Amino acid sequence: MRLPLLRELYSQPTPARAAIASSRAGLWTGLVTLVRIWLRRHRERRDFGHELHAMPDETLADFGLTRSLAEAELAKPFWKS
């Protein structure tokens, strides 16, 4: 007798359940946004790595970088920027 009562109680929509559902949706949205940022950083670093080998040291100096600093930046994992 208690089990059907509990099922009925938990099947009713409540403000707390709505808040939990929206926080889960917010969590997923935040997670998807974070993955997109990581992918963009990965692509930017990959593209910069390809361009770095063709850049003369004078061009890097215009950006305030040395070749060793640029390579150290590329060696970082994409989630650290």
Side-chain angles (χ1 to χ4, degrees):
M1 175 129 176
R2 204 171 203 193
L3 191 58
L5 181 61
L6 288 175
R7 281 191 195 141
E8 182 180 337
L9 179 64
Y10 285 109
S11 66
Q12 299 297 322
T14 64
R17 285 175 197 253
I20 290 170
S22 72
S23 69
R24 285 182 186 155
L27 178 68
W28 283 110
T29 302
L31 185 61
V32 168
T33 301
L34 180 63
V35 169
R36 285 181 179 166
I37 290 169
W38 282 356
L39 287 173
R40 187 180 70 232
R41 284 183 189 169
H42 171 70
R43 277 186 247 117
E44 288 172 356
R45 286 176 189 257
R46 181 195 62 208
D47 295 344
F48 180 66
H50 292 305
E51 294 171 3
L52 178 65
H53 298 293
M55 279 188 200
D57 290 337
E58 295 81 20
T59 304
L60 289 172
D62 289 342
F63 290 111
L65 294 172
T66 63
R67 187 162 301 277
S68 61
L69 283 174
E71 289 174 353
E73 187 66 27
L74 285 173
K76 288 183 184 177
F78 65 88
W79 57 85
K80 293 181 179 180
S81 64

